[in-house]
Amino acid sequence: MKHREERPGPHVFVLFGATGDLAKRKLFPGLYRLAAASRLPEDYAIIGSGRHSPGSDDEFREKIRSGLQESVDDVDSDVLEDLLSRLSFQTSDAGEEDGGKDLAAAVRKAHDGLGEDSRTLIYLSVPPTAMQSMIGMLGREHLTDDARVVVEKPFGTDLESSRELDAALKEVVSEDQVFRIDHFLGKEAVQNILALRFANGLIEPAWNRDHLVSVQIDLPETLTAEGRGAFYESTGCFRDMISTHLCQVLGFIAMEPPVHLDPTALRNEKAKVFAAMQPLNPDRVVFGQYEGYRDEEGVADDSKVETFVALEAFVDTERWQGVRFLLRTGKALGATRRTVTLTFRTPPMGRFGDSEYGPNQLMIELSDSPEFGVSLMAKRPGPRMDLVPLTFNLDVANEDPDDVPLEAYERLLLDVMRGDQTLFTRADEVDRLWEICQPVLDTPPPTLPYARGSWGPDEAIELAGPEGWHLPDA
């Protein structure tokens, strides 16, 4: 996973969804920061596309300028003006037979200006329902020839639609051209799971069922679905978060040591984890909807869409058999966190009398700046042999304050330009994850109400059992 710090060759970026929320919050800030760090090609062009024009190219540039000034602190005016000067917009309509001709002409013109060694990077930030027709249009216009195609999650909405989407992709591109982006895999902290496990002899021998009783992957957030009501109505929390982010993190945690940290070896081991996962049991899944969700714009008055999911999963390998994986995520909860908690088996403690004690835990915070915590037991100072819990915390950023991590989209965009698929999801992974999730889609649990600022329905609290959830901290 090491790269030489050489800049990629000339590129034409074709961004579908260039005027959308994701482009505003992630894509253009990512491109700006790469430009500011001299990590974009020296020569490149960015062509936004979609059915509806934002106006003239100058009006499109002003829209992007405004978004960047909102999203990025201390914008460098020279970098910003250079980036904006390379922007243009060309309408396209996948529903029309010749709806991509003007876009194809614009891309060819950009390539003529950049030289014959320039590459095409196509970014598809469009709803699953629009994906297949979009791919068909790109194929008809030969825009996918030798291009790298980035596909945003969710990859379909269930097993059947996922397979249809994959078949449509394979008609116009090969697997090595497809980059299924799950931005969680671009986070420094998620990648640090690999370093924490495989570079530390203290930890790897205990990373198994002989020493661990459970693994919690907890991604609550205080934000509501405000401004994303229509998206949530069509997708829901389960499709948006479980079949993608949380299961991918589970794959990193549960994989066997890969021979090399390269795309083939790493993704092979992750695929083996998913192959060994039991299909989810709907009776061990809790859906919730925060009070007031139905008042959000774009949400049906009688909506049953879930904004919260908690579930129990198992991986039937020798390493993990019997260990519970508890996954939880949702909107309008008590805190915004990205926390993995590994709970260790507690040794017999009768020799310490009535001392209060809890299990040892290893906590990994999946923030942009990785943080780790370890809870241990020690003797309380004084004349008695009483125990006291201790927690050690490590913030990786504090160890080297000059080392600035790349934000997830920066890292992943850079990897696409380099053709590195290590942190992208492979087709067989996606297919197996939908197989695992399909029983819940076929027989969804009831959607239970929960108060804003809470930790979800009571049934979700009970799902964790006597051990409880590590969050909220208590």
Side-chain angles (χ1 to χ4, degrees):
M1 293 168 68
K2 294 180 179 178
H3 299 297
R4 293 175 295 166
E5 280 295 321
E6 61 182 31
R7 298 176 75 162
H11 268 72
V12 178
F13 299 92
V14 183
L15 307 182
F16 290 91
T19 59
D21 181 64
L22 177 71
K24 177 182 178 180
R25 291 184 299 107
K26 297 294 184 181
L27 291 185
F28 281 110
L31 288 168
Y32 167 83
R33 293 189 182 101
L34 288 174
S38 299
R39 289 188 170 113
L40 281 184
E42 290 188 15
D43 298 310
Y44 66 93
I46 303 173
I47 303 174
S49 191
R51 291 178 62 186
H52 304 293
S53 171
S56 67
D57 283 348
D58 284 340
E59 289 172 316
F60 176 51
R61 293 180 186 119
E62 285 305 309
K63 180 179 179 68
I64 303 306
R65 182 199 304 276
S66 175
L68 285 171
Q69 289 172 339
E70 288 179 21
S71 304
V72 179
D73 296 329
D74 300 321
V75 171
D76 184 307
S77 59
D78 291 338
V79 174
L80 178 60
E81 293 308 317
D82 181 65
L83 178 70
L84 294 175
S85 71
R86 301 168 187 265
L87 279 175
S88 62
F89 193 94
Q90 177 59 60
T91 56
S92 60
D93 188 344
E96 300 291 335
E97 186 65 29
D98 59 352
K101 281 191 173 182
D102 291 341
L103 176 60
V107 172
R108 284 193 299 270
K109 182 178 179 181
H111 278 298
D112 290 342
L114 295 176
E116 60 183 19
D117 62 337
S118 56
R119 298 196 65 107
T120 303
L121 189 160
I122 300 171
Y123 202 110
L124 296 177
S125 177
V126 297
T129 52
M131 192 71 73
Q132 282 185 245
S133 59
M134 189 76 68
I135 291 164
M137 178 193 76
L138 295 171
R140 287 195 305 272
E141 300 298 336
H142 299 283
L143 284 167
T144 52
D145 295 356
D146 298 321
R148 291 172 180 146
V149 180
V150 183
V151 182
E152 265 286 350
K153 69 154 187 80
F155 314 114
T157 56
D158 55 18
L159 181 59
E160 181 181 1
S161 63
S162 171
R163 288 177 173 173
E164 290 174 355
L165 173 58
D166 189 60
L169 275 168
K170 296 300 171 54
E171 286 184 7
V172 297
V173 291
S174 59
E175 178 65 22
D176 62 5
Q177 291 177 260
V178 182
F179 292 74
R180 297 172 190 83
I181 192 167
D182 188 323
H183 76 268
F184 246 73
L185 299 189
K187 287 182 175 292
E188 287 277 348
V190 174
Q191 298 163 55
N192 240 308
I193 292 172
L194 304 178
L196 184 70
R197 277 190 64 185
F198 303 133
N200 291 286
L202 179 68
I203 292 176
E204 171 59 16
W207 202 276
N208 56 59
R209 65 187 175 94
D210 294 331
H211 300 278
L212 295 169
V213 293
S214 71
V215 178
Q216 295 184 14
I217 305 173
D218 216 350
L219 274 69
E221 58 182 346
T222 58
L223 289 175
T224 67
E226 183 180 0
R228 304 187 74 203
F231 169 78
Y232 249 66
E233 283 293 280
S234 64
T235 304
C237 184
F238 185 78
R239 289 180 172 90
D240 184 39
M241 298 292 291
I242 298 295
S243 63
T244 54
H245 297 332
L246 276 78
C247 280
Q248 286 294 330
V249 173
L250 187 155
F252 268 58
I253 292 168
M255 70 167 61
E256 293 300 311
V259 177
H260 303 289
L261 292 179
D262 61 31
T264 300
L266 194 71
R267 298 198 295 177
N268 280 349
E269 295 302 334
K270 192 146 53 81
K272 290 176 186 177
V273 171
F274 301 144
M277 278 184 72
Q278 296 179 9
L280 297 177
N281 178 356
D283 292 338
R284 301 298 291 167
V285 178
V286 177
F287 278 5
Q289 184 186 97
Y290 68 82
E291 294 171 354
Y293 169 74
R294 295 177 182 177
D295 297 328
E296 305 286 5
E297 185 178 353
V299 173
D301 293 339
D302 59 351
S303 174
K304 300 294 184 183
V305 169
E306 77 285 354
T307 62
F308 170 97
V309 181
L311 62 85
E312 179 184 72
F314 291 94
V315 179
D316 285 339
T317 61
E318 185 175 351
R319 181 183 293 270
W320 295 109
Q321 195 162 45
V323 176
R324 296 203 304 161
F325 286 82
L326 293 166
L327 281 57
R328 181 174 67 170
T329 185
K331 299 283 190 183
L333 294 175
T336 296
R337 294 283 289 276
R338 306 285 186 267
T339 307
V340 174
T341 306
L342 292 89
T343 299
F344 290 81
R345 297 189 181 278
T346 303
M349 302 289 278
R351 63 180 67 90
F352 294 102
D354 296 330
S355 296
E356 293 186 7
Y357 58 87
N360 296 156
Q361 292 182 317
L362 172 63
M363 291 80 71
I364 308 169
E365 294 292 342
L366 304 180
S367 55
D368 286 333
S369 177
E371 299 176 29
F372 303 101
V374 180
S375 66
L376 302 173
M377 303 303 297
K379 179 188 175 298
R380 185 186 300 277
R384 293 167 51 87
M385 183 56 81
D386 292 334
L387 299 180
V388 60
L390 300 177
T391 300
F392 302 91
N393 294 299
L394 173 64
D395 186 336
V396 176
N398 289 340
E399 296 302 300
D400 189 350
D402 294 329
D403 226 356
V404 179
L406 271 69
E407 192 272 342
Y409 274 89
E410 293 175 58
R411 170 65 191 266
L412 295 173
L413 285 167
L414 193 58
D415 282 353
V416 178
M417 287 184 276
R418 289 165 166 163
D420 186 341
Q421 292 182 305
T422 304
L423 298 176
F424 294 84
T425 308
R426 205 167 59 189
D428 58 331
E429 295 178 49
V430 174
D431 191 77
R432 176 56 185 164
L433 285 174
W434 279 120
E435 287 183 340
I436 291 165
C437 293
Q438 193 62 45
V440 178
L441 299 176
D442 291 339
T443 313
T447 303
L448 306 171
Y450 64 93
R452 294 192 191 202
S454 71
W455 288 93
D458 290 342
E459 289 81 353
I461 307 299
E462 296 165 4
L463 183 69
E467 175 191 324
W469 292 94
H470 173 67
L471 298 178
D473 297 325

